[in-house]
């Protein structure tokens, strides 16, 4: 009996120690991932596997060019009181606007510098926002689309107030921004939102974190994800699978172009097939060969922009169309 009691006591102690270790790992993972300042761009880029050094000169040149255009700093207030920042690049005489959402640890123009000129050529103003807890936007906890989709509603409202009831809005998101626009798509959006472009979006924060744990840290999702989910609910105000882009696109009526690189291991390419199949709105899918995470535009800019332009031409009225409609009225 004494031996059995000692064995049980040892097992209990080992179990308690294991539980403490699991808790500490989940706390470390959650704090490092969700809290502003702890999430580092360099670490994210390393895990994503994209060699950005190849593209940095092109991005810097494009950014310098776009920043020569008129630009305004704009602030709106989120539903929970967080002040959000965006940079607005107006296209004179146009009521088309591209509302752009960057990826995790990015900001404003970070994913759109090279695309900005294309949008100008198509007569689009650009609103490049800093998602909450990024750039000049306030917030302690990163929203992973769950919080950001309601922030997107505030930006849409602002753009309609600024540009009038006849404005036409395109939502474009990359990575976490892609998940944001897909999660937004399931909301009751105004008629001014004409189309969506989602580039390398994940299905949910839970899914992408589970994938990172497996591929990068070689750890199982259980129990770390369950503990992290509880911590996120307590601290950040949302659960890691509370808002799932898969569920939201099932409710969407907004035409959506899905883009993904077939060598994306950070947000597995399999996720875009799930999202595409689930989407109830008019949709198209572009898979860019050889592109890793968030690399699709840079890997094949002609193919990427041809698909985007085709999507714009399909769902946005030309100036001639509007003039003809006004004459008929």
């Amino acid at each position: 009996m004494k031996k059995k009691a000692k064995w049980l006591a040892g097992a209990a102690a080992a179990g308690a120690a294991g539980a403490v270790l699991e808790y500490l790992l989940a706390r470390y993972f959650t704090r490092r991932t969700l809290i502003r300042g702890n999430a580092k761009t360099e670490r994210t880029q390393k895990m994503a596997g994209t060699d950005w050094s190849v593209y940095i000169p092109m991005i810097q040149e494009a950014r310098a060019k776009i920043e020569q255009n008129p630009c305004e700093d704009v602030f709106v207030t989120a539903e929970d009181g967080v002040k959000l920042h965006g940079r607005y690049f107006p296209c004179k005489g146009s009521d088309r606007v591209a509302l752009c959402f960057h990826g995790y640890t990015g900001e404003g123009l970070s994913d759109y510098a090279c695309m900005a000129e294309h949008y100008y050529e198509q007569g689009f103003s650009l609103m490049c926002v800093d998602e909450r807890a990024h750039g000049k936007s306030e917030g302690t906890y990163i929203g992973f689309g769950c919080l950001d989709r309601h922030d997107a509603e505030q930006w849409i409202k602002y753009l309609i107030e600024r540009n009038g009831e006849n404005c036409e809005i395109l939502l474009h998101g990359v990575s976490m921004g892609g998940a944001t626009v897909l999660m937004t798509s399931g909301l009751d959006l105004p008629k001014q939102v004409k189309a969506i472009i989602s580039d390398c979006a994940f299905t949910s924060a839970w899914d992408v974190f589970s994938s990172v744990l497996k591929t990068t840290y070689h750890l199982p999702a259980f129990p770390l994800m369950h503990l992290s989910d509880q911590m996120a609910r307590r601290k950040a105000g949302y659960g890691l699978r509370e808002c799932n882009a898969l569920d939201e696109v099932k409710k969407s009526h907004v035409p959506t172009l899905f883009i993904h690189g077939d060598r994306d291991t950070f947000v597995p390419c399999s996720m875009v097939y799930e999202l595409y199949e689930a989407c109830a709105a008019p949709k198209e899918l572009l898979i860019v060969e050889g592109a890793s995470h968030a690399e699709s535009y840079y890997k094949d800019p002609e193919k990427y922009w041809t698909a985007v332009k085709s999507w714009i031409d399909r769902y946005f009225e030309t100036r001639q169309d509007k003039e003809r409609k006004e004459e008929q009225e």
Side-chain angles (χ1 to χ4, degrees):
M1 290 294 292
K2 288 183 178 180
K3 287 183 178 180
K4 185 176 182 181
K6 287 182 178 180
W7 182 87
L8 289 173
V20 170
L21 178 59
E22 288 164 354
Y23 174 84
L24 292 174
L25 281 172
R27 184 172 181 270
Y28 171 75
F29 179 74
T30 304
R31 289 176 61 85
R32 186 168 103 150
T33 305
L34 265 63
I35 295 179
R36 179 190 204 120
N38 291 350
K40 303 296 184 182
T41 302
E42 297 79 11
R43 184 170 65 235
T44 303
Q45 289 180 347
K46 185 177 180 179
M47 287 192 295
T50 304
D51 183 6
W52 289 105
S53 65
V54 177
Y55 307 116
I56 284 174
M58 177 174 64
I59 294 170
Q60 289 176 336
E61 182 180 348
R63 183 159 189 154
K65 185 176 181 180
I66 192 66
E67 289 184 332
Q68 292 175 4
N69 291 282
C71 173
E72 301 173 32
D73 286 303
V74 177
F75 293 89
V76 301
T77 303
E79 290 180 344
D80 59 358
V82 170
K83 185 181 287 187
L84 304 169
H85 169 259
R87 299 183 71 193
Y88 187 70
F89 296 85
C91 183
K92 191 174 181 180
S94 176
D95 54 10
R96 292 179 171 186
V97 187
L99 176 55
C100 302
F101 295 87
H102 60 77
Y104 180 61
T105 71
E107 61 179 66
L109 270 175
S110 59
D111 295 317
Y112 297 95
C114 292
M115 287 185 255
E117 192 65 28
H118 294 298
Y119 273 124
Y120 267 141
E121 289 172 357
Q122 295 301 309
F124 277 83
S125 299
L126 270 79
M127 173 61 82
C128 296
V129 307
D130 293 339
E131 296 200 52
R132 61 171 53 220
H134 291 79
K136 294 182 181 178
S137 288
E138 294 178 347
T140 301
Y141 293 95
I142 296 169
F144 283 96
C146 298
L147 302 178
D148 308 285
R149 66 183 188 141
H150 296 297
D151 298 343
E153 288 186 294
Q154 299 304 313
W155 285 114
I156 291 166
K157 181 181 178 181
Y158 168 81
L159 290 173
I160 294 171
E161 290 174 351
R162 176 173 183 141
N163 293 284
E165 291 293 320
N166 292 325
C167 75
E168 297 180 302
I169 300 172
L170 171 72
L171 305 183
H172 192 154
V174 177
S175 190
M176 186 180 77
T180 295
V181 297
L182 293 184
M183 292 178 187
T184 304
S185 74
L187 301 173
D188 185 17
L189 297 176
K191 63 181 181 180
Q192 288 83 0
V193 179
K194 299 297 183 181
I196 290 172
I197 298 170
S198 169
D199 184 343
C200 63
F202 49 77
T203 49
S204 70
W206 178 286
D207 292 340
V208 75
F209 289 170
S210 297
S211 177
V212 169
L213 279 176
K214 180 180 179 180
T215 59
T216 303
Y217 298 101
H218 309 292
L219 292 171
F222 181 83
L224 294 182
M225 285 305 304
H226 297 76
L227 293 169
S228 296
D229 181 66
Q230 294 172 14
M231 293 174 187
R233 288 179 185 276
R234 285 199 309 271
K235 297 293 186 179
Y238 66 92
L240 299 180
R241 52 182 169 187
E242 180 178 309
C243 184
N244 189 316
L246 275 174
D247 294 330
E248 297 307 309
V249 297
K250 291 175 184 177
K251 300 181 284 185
S252 176
H253 301 289
V254 184
T256 302
L257 171 62
F258 296 88
I259 302 173
H260 218 104
D262 69 350
R263 291 191 181 177
D264 192 339
T265 56
F266 190 60
V267 176
C269 191
S270 59
M271 288 190 182
V272 77
Y273 292 106
E274 295 179 70
L275 291 164
Y276 178 78
E277 290 299 324
C279 183
K283 58 194 176 183
E284 279 195 6
L285 175 62
L286 171 65
I287 301 297
V288 179
E289 295 180 5
S292 57
H293 188 63
E295 191 186 19
S296 291
Y297 173 83
Y298 306 96
K299 199 71 175 179
D300 196 337
E302 183 177 353
K303 186 174 185 179
Y304 190 105
W305 190 253
T306 297
V308 171
K309 185 178 182 303
S310 175
W311 205 241
I312 290 169
D313 291 342
R314 189 177 306 181
Y315 294 106
F316 286 78
E317 292 183 326
T318 64
R319 186 168 295 177
Q320 290 78 9
D321 291 335
K322 290 187 176 183
E323 289 174 353
R324 194 180 304 116
K325 187 179 292 186
E326 289 172 0
E327 289 174 0
Q328 291 173 350
E329 293 174 353

